[in-house]
Amino acid sequence: MKKLFLILLTMGTLLGCNDKADDKKNIVSKFPERIVSLTLSGDEMVLSLADNNKIKALSGKIAEDGRYSNIVEKAKQYPKAENNMEFVLSMKPDFILASSWVSKDIIQSYKDFGINVFTYDIPITIEEQMNNLQKLGEVLGSEEKSLELINSQKEKLKYLEQKLSAVKDKKRVLYYTTDGFTSGKGTTIDDILNKAKTVNLASEMGIVGFKSLSKETIIDINPEVIIISGTSSKIGKAEIEERFIKDVSLRNVEAVKNHRIYMIEDRHMTTISQSMIKGLEDLIDVIYPELKVKDVG
């Protein structure tokens, strides 16, 4: 019966969930003492900002998966919510951290239990991610930590921009997933590719968001560099390169001819936490190795 109650509550059929205030209003009357995070990016941010003994649960086992997570070892120390409302409530949280993709009904259900819920928007740019860090730092009472983290990212951006000033001709780059998709305008990948002083061929083609890409299109756009998102796949770097290089139909593609096919870790390239800056650094390192961006800074 208890589980049925929680299911109905989650669906918004009890307590008038749909009539409550908008979940974007992040009102926190005091600094939290018992924190639960519902998303991986939230896990990464809160572990960097909050006193770790105040964190009672992280999002799920994904936080311990090194393909996606930048906090594997730290995450092992905490229970996991796994989208289980009954478990989350058993942690007696006074603060829940969620992204805007979490169901509004679920967020409202937690609010109806009197729990403060802080929701952050999905960042498209590194600057938007910094803004999330700043806001979260304020509500956690960790403004000094968030400012330190933001300033560190700004310094890294400045350093990378200085290095990139030596680039005269932008490389034409295709970001491609192992299941055949690319990322165009309005994505974090596009922001990172632009900041890396490259031409994102998907955006140049007018692609918005994510879209599948045929082999014929790859031949037509003829990328100089192909970046593979693939650590989420069991296919390794060598297998990916072999797949492209042994494909006779792709032999005249610049990236294939010159063996400029690189796999970058998903935990850096597809994250929406403060680790986005690492994705940018990884990208510059493989596209413009002569800049030696990882030697210092």
Side-chain angles (χ1 to χ4, degrees):
M1 187 67 184
K2 183 178 180 183
K3 287 186 178 180
L4 177 60
F5 172 82
L6 289 171
I7 291 170
L8 291 172
L9 185 59
T10 302
M11 294 172 63
T13 56
L14 296 176
L15 302 180
C17 290
N18 293 326
D19 297 325
K20 299 296 180 179
D22 188 273
D23 65 275
K24 294 291 183 182
K25 295 180 180 178
N26 295 302
I27 301 172
V28 179
S29 58
K30 63 177 182 177
F31 297 139
E33 296 293 329
R34 301 184 64 84
I35 302 167
V36 172
S37 169
L38 301 183
T39 61
L40 176 57
S41 54
D43 297 345
E44 295 190 3
M45 288 191 290
V46 78
L47 278 170
S48 296
L49 297 177
D51 290 339
N52 288 182
N53 62 352
K54 294 182 179 180
I55 300 171
K56 301 307 173 185
L58 299 179
S59 62
K61 279 291 184 181
I62 190 172
E64 297 179 19
D65 189 334
R67 295 173 299 173
Y68 308 100
S69 173
N70 295 284
I71 52 167
V72 172
E73 292 307 315
K74 284 186 177 181
K76 292 176 182 178
Q77 303 171 34
Y78 298 93
K80 308 300 186 298
E82 301 291 3
N83 297 315
N84 185 325
M85 181 177 284
E86 188 172 6
F87 172 80
V88 171
L89 293 175
S90 75
M91 293 290 100
K92 299 180 180 178
D94 59 3
F95 182 92
I96 290 177
L97 178 60
S99 69
S100 57
W101 70 48
V102 175
S103 162
K104 288 186 177 182
D105 287 340
I106 290 176
I107 289 172
Q108 190 59 56
S109 296
Y110 284 123
K111 287 184 176 183
D112 286 329
F113 275 104
I115 303 169
N116 284 317
V117 181
F118 180 90
T119 56
Y120 58 93
D121 289 324
I122 306 304
I124 300 302
T125 67
I126 289 175
E127 289 78 12
E128 288 177 3
Q129 206 290 315
M130 290 182 193
N131 188 49
N132 283 343
L133 283 173
Q134 180 182 344
K135 290 179 180 178
L136 183 57
E138 290 171 358
V139 298
L140 292 177
S142 303
E143 292 175 87
E144 189 173 330
K145 285 184 180 179
S146 65
L147 184 60
E148 183 179 338
L149 194 52
I150 290 166
N151 285 338
S152 174
Q153 289 191 73
K154 287 181 177 178
E155 288 173 9
K156 175 65 75 174
L157 273 177
K158 184 178 179 180
Y159 163 75
L160 294 174
E161 287 168 359
Q162 289 172 343
K163 284 285 191 177
L164 286 166
S165 64
V167 174
K168 303 306 178 186
D169 297 312
K170 293 182 178 181
K171 294 296 182 185
R172 293 169 54 78
V173 177
L174 172 66
Y175 174 83
Y176 196 65
T177 67
T178 53
D179 52 357
F181 281 77
T182 190
S183 298
K185 297 176 183 177
T187 65
T188 56
I189 298 298
D190 187 54
D191 180 60
I192 291 172
L193 285 169
N194 287 332
K195 282 184 169 64
K197 210 167 181 178
T198 71
V199 176
N200 180 6
L201 292 175
S203 292
E204 187 178 67
M205 293 169 60
I207 292 174
V208 177
F210 305 96
K211 185 178 179 180
S212 61
L213 210 62
S214 68
K215 186 189 298 184
E216 291 72 23
T217 302
I218 295 175
I219 295 169
D220 287 342
I221 61 177
N222 192 22
E224 294 176 274
V225 179
I226 296 175
I227 300 296
I228 301 292
S229 169
T231 49
S232 60
S233 167
K234 292 182 179 179
I235 302 172
K237 181 178 184 295
E239 289 85 352
I240 288 291
E241 289 180 345
E242 187 175 5
R243 178 188 292 182
F244 278 89
I245 292 168
K246 286 194 173 182
D247 190 327
V248 177
S249 66
L250 296 174
R251 63 187 174 187
N252 291 322
V253 173
E254 288 295 317
V256 176
K257 282 196 300 184
N258 297 317
H259 292 252
R260 299 217 63 188
I261 303 165
Y262 306 104
M263 183 180 285
I264 294 181
E265 295 180 272
D266 280 348
R267 66 193 182 104
H268 292 169
M269 280 297 289
T270 62
T271 182
I272 53 171
S273 76
Q274 64 270 22
S275 294
M276 286 173 69
I277 195 82
K278 295 179 181 177
L280 174 59
E281 187 176 35
D282 289 349
L283 196 64
I284 297 170
D285 188 52
V286 297
I287 294 176
Y288 303 115
E290 68 276 11
L291 299 182
K292 299 179 180 179
V293 295
K294 290 190 175 183
D295 284 2
V296 293

